[in-house]
PDB file of all heavy atoms in Angstrom:
ATOM      1  N   MET M   1      20.391  24.970  69.588  1.00  0.00           N
ATOM      2  CA  MET M   1      21.394  25.795  70.301  1.00  0.00           C
ATOM      3  C   MET M   1      21.099  27.261  70.188  1.00  0.00           C
ATOM      4  O   MET M   1      20.754  27.780  69.080  1.00  0.00           O
ATOM      5  CB  MET M   1      22.823  25.501  69.728  1.00  0.00           C
ATOM      6  CG  MET M   1      23.917  26.361  70.390  1.00  0.00           C
ATOM      7  SD  MET M   1      25.524  26.010  69.678  1.00  0.00           S
ATOM      8  CE  MET M   1      25.237  26.839  68.080  1.00  0.00           C
ATOM      9  N   LYS M   2      21.086  27.908  71.365  1.00  0.00           N
ATOM     10  CA  LYS M   2      20.815  29.408  71.313  1.00  0.00           C
ATOM     11  C   LYS M   2      22.133  30.110  71.085  1.00  0.00           C
ATOM     12  O   LYS M   2      23.157  29.700  71.557  1.00  0.00           O
ATOM     13  CB  LYS M   2      20.240  29.807  72.617  1.00  0.00           C
ATOM     14  CG  LYS M   2      18.786  29.295  72.907  1.00  0.00           C
ATOM     15  CD  LYS M   2      18.233  29.802  74.265  1.00  0.00           C
ATOM     16  CE  LYS M   2      16.802  29.293  74.447  1.00  0.00           C
ATOM     17  NZ  LYS M   2      16.259  29.752  75.789  1.00  0.00           N
ATOM     18  N   PHE M   3      22.071  31.141  70.370  1.00  0.00           N
ATOM     19  CA  PHE M   3      23.342  31.819  69.853  1.00  0.00           C
ATOM     20  C   PHE M   3      23.059  33.324  69.823  1.00  0.00           C
ATOM     21  O   PHE M   3      22.083  33.773  69.184  1.00  0.00           O
ATOM     22  CB  PHE M   3      23.711  31.306  68.534  1.00  0.00           C
ATOM     23  CG  PHE M   3      25.050  31.863  68.039  1.00  0.00           C
ATOM     24  CD1 PHE M   3      26.182  31.139  68.141  1.00  0.00           C
ATOM     25  CD2 PHE M   3      25.090  33.128  67.414  1.00  0.00           C
ATOM     26  CE1 PHE M   3      27.379  31.587  67.654  1.00  0.00           C
ATOM     27  CE2 PHE M   3      26.272  33.683  66.920  1.00  0.00           C
ATOM     28  CZ  PHE M   3      27.443  32.846  67.052  1.00  0.00           C
ATOM     29  N   GLY M   4      23.847  34.155  70.492  1.00  0.00           N
ATOM     30  CA  GLY M   4      23.701  35.654  70.374  1.00  0.00           C
ATOM     31  C   GLY M   4      24.303  36.367  71.504  1.00  0.00           C
ATOM     32  O   GLY M   4      24.878  35.802  72.405  1.00  0.00           O
ATOM     33  N   PRO M   5      24.215  37.725  71.461  1.00  0.00           N
ATOM     34  CA  PRO M   5      24.814  38.585  72.480  1.00  0.00           C
ATOM     35  C   PRO M   5      23.967  38.653  73.671  1.00  0.00           C
ATOM     36  O   PRO M   5      22.717  38.726  73.627  1.00  0.00           O
ATOM     37  CB  PRO M   5      24.943  39.900  71.811  1.00  0.00           C
ATOM     38  CG  PRO M   5      23.836  39.917  70.795  1.00  0.00           C
ATOM     39  CD  PRO M   5      23.586  38.529  70.396  1.00  0.00           C
ATOM     40  N   VAL M   6      24.619  38.680  74.876  1.00  0.00           N
ATOM     41  CA  VAL M   6      23.921  38.792  76.149  1.00  0.00           C
ATOM     42  C   VAL M   6      24.788  39.638  77.099  1.00  0.00           C
ATOM     43  O   VAL M   6      26.027  39.794  76.941  1.00  0.00           O
ATOM     44  CB  VAL M   6      23.594  37.473  76.809  1.00  0.00           C
ATOM     45  CG1 VAL M   6      22.621  36.616  75.981  1.00  0.00           C
ATOM     46  CG2 VAL M   6      24.871  36.711  77.175  1.00  0.00           C
ATOM     47  N   ALA M   7      24.226  40.199  78.058  1.00  0.00           N
ATOM     48  CA  ALA M   7      25.007  40.842  79.153  1.00  0.00           C
ATOM     49  C   ALA M   7      25.760  39.786  79.937  1.00  0.00           C
ATOM     50  O   ALA M   7      25.299  38.574  80.077  1.00  0.00           O
ATOM     51  CB  ALA M   7      24.102  41.658  80.094  1.00  0.00           C
ATOM     52  N   PRO M   8      26.947  40.063  80.530  1.00  0.00           N
ATOM     53  CA  PRO M   8      27.696  39.081  81.256  1.00  0.00           C
ATOM     54  C   PRO M   8      26.851  38.347  82.396  1.00  0.00           C
ATOM     55  O   PRO M   8      26.998  37.192  82.525  1.00  0.00           O
ATOM     56  CB  PRO M   8      28.796  39.900  81.855  1.00  0.00           C
ATOM     57  CG  PRO M   8      28.995  41.008  80.933  1.00  0.00           C
ATOM     58  CD  PRO M   8      27.643  41.421  80.382  1.00  0.00           C
ATOM     59  N   ARG M   9      25.948  39.054  83.040  1.00  0.00           N
ATOM     60  CA  ARG M   9      25.181  38.390  84.162  1.00  0.00           C
ATOM     61  C   ARG M   9      24.271  37.319  83.580  1.00  0.00           C
ATOM     62  O   ARG M   9      23.828  36.479  84.350  1.00  0.00           O
ATOM     63  CB  ARG M   9      24.375  39.453  84.851  1.00  0.00           C
ATOM     64  CG  ARG M   9      23.281  40.203  83.955  1.00  0.00           C
ATOM     65  CD  ARG M   9      22.453  41.206  84.794  1.00  0.00           C
ATOM     66  NE  ARG M   9      21.396  41.921  83.937  1.00  0.00           N
ATOM     67  CZ  ARG M   9      21.703  42.896  83.244  1.00  0.00           C
ATOM     68  NH1 ARG M   9      22.906  43.466  83.260  1.00  0.00           N
ATOM     69  NH2 ARG M   9      20.699  43.448  82.472  1.00  0.00           N
ATOM     70  N   ASP M  10      23.912  37.446  82.241  1.00  0.00           N
ATOM     71  CA  ASP M  10      22.999  36.504  81.663  1.00  0.00           C
ATOM     72  C   ASP M  10      23.750  35.374  80.887  1.00  0.00           C
ATOM     73  O   ASP M  10      23.145  34.477  80.268  1.00  0.00           O
ATOM     74  CB  ASP M  10      22.022  37.188  80.689  1.00  0.00           C
ATOM     75  CG  ASP M  10      21.195  38.162  81.411  1.00  0.00           C
ATOM     76  OD1 ASP M  10      20.693  37.918  82.510  1.00  0.00           O
ATOM     77  OD2 ASP M  10      20.965  39.214  80.721  1.00  0.00           O
ATOM     78  N   ALA M  11      25.123  35.343  81.015  1.00  0.00           N
ATOM     79  CA  ALA M  11      25.945  34.356  80.350  1.00  0.00           C
ATOM     80  C   ALA M  11      26.270  33.119  81.117  1.00  0.00           C
ATOM     81  O   ALA M  11      26.913  32.230  80.612  1.00  0.00           O
ATOM     82  CB  ALA M  11      27.158  35.055  79.826  1.00  0.00           C
ATOM     83  N   LEU M  12      25.841  33.022  82.342  1.00  0.00           N
ATOM     84  CA  LEU M  12      26.143  31.900  83.192  1.00  0.00           C
ATOM     85  C   LEU M  12      25.796  30.536  82.575  1.00  0.00           C
ATOM     86  O   LEU M  12      24.627  30.386  82.164  1.00  0.00           O
ATOM     87  CB  LEU M  12      25.450  32.034  84.601  1.00  0.00           C
ATOM     88  CG  LEU M  12      25.837  30.925  85.630  1.00  0.00           C
ATOM     89  CD1 LEU M  12      27.295  31.026  85.967  1.00  0.00           C
ATOM     90  CD2 LEU M  12      24.929  31.121  86.802  1.00  0.00           C
ATOM     91  N   GLY M  13      26.762  29.649  82.462  1.00  0.00           N
ATOM     92  CA  GLY M  13      26.517  28.323  81.878  1.00  0.00           C
ATOM     93  C   GLY M  13      26.672  28.314  80.369  1.00  0.00           C
ATOM     94  O   GLY M  13      26.559  27.203  79.768  1.00  0.00           O
ATOM     95  N   ALA M  14      26.796  29.442  79.723  1.00  0.00           N
ATOM     96  CA  ALA M  14      26.958  29.431  78.231  1.00  0.00           C
ATOM     97  C   ALA M  14      28.395  29.347  77.899  1.00  0.00           C
ATOM     98  O   ALA M  14      29.305  29.451  78.692  1.00  0.00           O
ATOM     99  CB  ALA M  14      26.308  30.725  77.731  1.00  0.00           C
ATOM    100  N   THR M  15      28.676  29.242  76.545  1.00  0.00           N
ATOM    101  CA  THR M  15      30.000  29.194  76.044  1.00  0.00           C
ATOM    102  C   THR M  15      30.334  30.504  75.253  1.00  0.00           C
ATOM    103  O   THR M  15      29.567  30.905  74.409  1.00  0.00           O
ATOM    104  CB  THR M  15      30.132  28.028  75.157  1.00  0.00           C
ATOM    105  OG1 THR M  15      29.793  26.765  75.815  1.00  0.00           O
ATOM    106  CG2 THR M  15      31.547  27.887  74.518  1.00  0.00           C
ATOM    107  N   ALA M  16      31.580  30.984  75.478  1.00  0.00           N
ATOM    108  CA  ALA M  16      32.015  32.229  74.825  1.00  0.00           C
ATOM    109  C   ALA M  16      32.251  31.875  73.341  1.00  0.00           C
ATOM    110  O   ALA M  16      33.024  31.003  72.969  1.00  0.00           O
ATOM    111  CB  ALA M  16      33.189  32.742  75.426  1.00  0.00           C
ATOM    112  N   VAL M  17      31.713  32.651  72.443  1.00  0.00           N
ATOM    113  CA  VAL M  17      31.830  32.341  71.043  1.00  0.00           C
ATOM    114  C   VAL M  17      33.096  33.048  70.445  1.00  0.00           C
ATOM    115  O   VAL M  17      33.636  32.451  69.545  1.00  0.00           O
ATOM    116  CB  VAL M  17      30.565  32.903  70.266  1.00  0.00           C
ATOM    117  CG1 VAL M  17      30.807  32.970  68.713  1.00  0.00           C
ATOM    118  CG2 VAL M  17      29.347  32.134  70.701  1.00  0.00           C
ATOM    119  N   HIS M  18      33.591  34.090  71.030  1.00  0.00           N
ATOM    120  CA  HIS M  18      34.754  34.763  70.523  1.00  0.00           C
ATOM    121  C   HIS M  18      35.721  34.999  71.699  1.00  0.00           C
ATOM    122  O   HIS M  18      35.294  35.115  72.915  1.00  0.00           O
ATOM    123  CB  HIS M  18      34.417  36.146  69.984  1.00  0.00           C
ATOM    124  CG  HIS M  18      33.327  36.066  68.890  1.00  0.00           C
ATOM    125  ND1 HIS M  18      33.530  35.409  67.651  1.00  0.00           N
ATOM    126  CD2 HIS M  18      32.069  36.635  68.805  1.00  0.00           C
ATOM    127  CE1 HIS M  18      32.489  35.569  66.945  1.00  0.00           C
ATOM    128  NE2 HIS M  18      31.514  36.258  67.552  1.00  0.00           N
ATOM    129  N   SER M  19      36.954  35.022  71.328  1.00  0.00           N
ATOM    130  CA  SER M  19      37.945  35.440  72.406  1.00  0.00           C
ATOM    131  C   SER M  19      37.856  36.872  72.699  1.00  0.00           C
ATOM    132  O   SER M  19      37.552  37.708  71.821  1.00  0.00           O
ATOM    133  CB  SER M  19      39.407  35.139  71.853  1.00  0.00           C
ATOM    134  OG  SER M  19      39.631  33.795  71.661  1.00  0.00           O
ATOM    135  N   ILE M  20      38.017  37.280  74.002  1.00  0.00           N
ATOM    136  CA  ILE M  20      37.938  38.661  74.427  1.00  0.00           C
ATOM    137  C   ILE M  20      39.264  39.044  75.162  1.00  0.00           C
ATOM    138  O   ILE M  20      39.657  38.302  76.080  1.00  0.00           O
ATOM    139  CB  ILE M  20      36.776  38.856  75.413  1.00  0.00           C
ATOM    140  CG1 ILE M  20      35.397  38.562  74.665  1.00  0.00           C
ATOM    141  CG2 ILE M  20      36.804  40.309  75.934  1.00  0.00           C
ATOM    142  CD1 ILE M  20      34.184  38.703  75.546  1.00  0.00           C
ATOM    143  N   ARG M  21      39.884  40.035  74.694  1.00  0.00           N
ATOM    144  CA  ARG M  21      41.054  40.564  75.357  1.00  0.00           C
ATOM    145  C   ARG M  21      40.847  42.068  75.586  1.00  0.00           C
ATOM    146  O   ARG M  21      40.793  42.831  74.687  1.00  0.00           O
ATOM    147  CB  ARG M  21      42.303  40.336  74.482  1.00  0.00           C
ATOM    148  CG  ARG M  21      42.659  38.898  74.339  1.00  0.00           C
ATOM    149  CD  ARG M  21      43.868  38.679  73.370  1.00  0.00           C
ATOM    150  NE  ARG M  21      44.306  37.281  73.365  1.00  0.00           N
ATOM    151  CZ  ARG M  21      43.695  36.333  72.649  1.00  0.00           C
ATOM    152  NH1 ARG M  21      42.674  36.672  71.914  1.00  0.00           N
ATOM    153  NH2 ARG M  21      44.054  35.079  72.710  1.00  0.00           N
ATOM    154  N   GLN M  22      40.709  42.393  76.870  1.00  0.00           N
ATOM    155  CA  GLN M  22      40.427  43.703  77.298  1.00  0.00           C
ATOM    156  C   GLN M  22      41.075  44.056  78.612  1.00  0.00           C
ATOM    157  O   GLN M  22      40.770  43.459  79.602  1.00  0.00           O
ATOM    158  CB  GLN M  22      38.896  44.029  77.390  1.00  0.00           C
ATOM    159  CG  GLN M  22      38.529  45.511  77.546  1.00  0.00           C
ATOM    160  CD  GLN M  22      37.037  45.712  77.240  1.00  0.00           C
ATOM    161  OE1 GLN M  22      36.536  45.240  76.224  1.00  0.00           O
ATOM    162  NE2 GLN M  22      36.379  46.505  78.056  1.00  0.00           N
ATOM    163  N   GLY M  23      42.078  44.971  78.541  1.00  0.00           N
ATOM    164  CA  GLY M  23      42.837  45.203  79.732  1.00  0.00           C
ATOM    165  C   GLY M  23      43.608  43.906  80.139  1.00  0.00           C
ATOM    166  O   GLY M  23      44.272  43.334  79.385  1.00  0.00           O
ATOM    167  N   ASP M  24      43.445  43.518  81.438  1.00  0.00           N
ATOM    168  CA  ASP M  24      44.169  42.355  81.948  1.00  0.00           C
ATOM    169  C   ASP M  24      43.338  41.023  81.667  1.00  0.00           C
ATOM    170  O   ASP M  24      43.825  39.937  81.920  1.00  0.00           O
ATOM    171  CB  ASP M  24      44.408  42.460  83.404  1.00  0.00           C
ATOM    172  CG  ASP M  24      45.388  43.501  83.792  1.00  0.00           C
ATOM    173  OD1 ASP M  24      46.196  43.833  82.870  1.00  0.00           O
ATOM    174  OD2 ASP M  24      45.332  44.080  84.880  1.00  0.00           O
ATOM    175  N   LEU M  25      42.120  41.203  81.066  1.00  0.00           N
ATOM    176  CA  LEU M  25      41.261  40.087  80.846  1.00  0.00           C
ATOM    177  C   LEU M  25      41.638  39.319  79.569  1.00  0.00           C
ATOM    178  O   LEU M  25      41.760  40.019  78.510  1.00  0.00           O
ATOM    179  CB  LEU M  25      39.738  40.448  80.777  1.00  0.00           C
ATOM    180  CG  LEU M  25      38.768  39.444  80.357  1.00  0.00           C
ATOM    181  CD1 LEU M  25      38.667  38.304  81.367  1.00  0.00           C
ATOM    182  CD2 LEU M  25      37.474  40.059  80.109  1.00  0.00           C
ATOM    183  N   VAL M  26      41.788  38.040  79.659  1.00  0.00           N
ATOM    184  CA  VAL M  26      41.927  37.225  78.476  1.00  0.00           C
ATOM    185  C   VAL M  26      40.890  36.037  78.582  1.00  0.00           C
ATOM    186  O   VAL M  26      41.130  35.137  79.445  1.00  0.00           O
ATOM    187  CB  VAL M  26      43.339  36.634  78.294  1.00  0.00           C
ATOM    188  CG1 VAL M  26      43.474  35.699  77.104  1.00  0.00           C
ATOM    189  CG2 VAL M  26      44.396  37.686  78.252  1.00  0.00           C
ATOM    190  N   LEU M  27      39.894  36.083  77.744  1.00  0.00           N
ATOM    191  CA  LEU M  27      38.866  35.094  77.831  1.00  0.00           C
ATOM    192  C   LEU M  27      38.900  34.379  76.557  1.00  0.00           C
ATOM    193  O   LEU M  27      38.592  34.948  75.461  1.00  0.00           O
ATOM    194  CB  LEU M  27      37.504  35.640  78.109  1.00  0.00           C
ATOM    195  CG  LEU M  27      36.363  34.719  78.286  1.00  0.00           C
ATOM    196  CD1 LEU M  27      36.484  33.939  79.609  1.00  0.00           C
ATOM    197  CD2 LEU M  27      35.020  35.449  78.272  1.00  0.00           C
TER     198      LEU M  27
END
Side-chain angles (χ1 to χ4, degrees):
M1 180 182 68
K2 294 182 179 179
F3 184 100
V6 297
R9 65 178 179 275
D10 298 323
L12 183 65
T15 301
V17 171
H18 307 296
S19 295
I20 296 177
R21 292 176 175 82
Q22 188 162 315
D24 294 332
L25 171 67
V26 178
L27 185 71

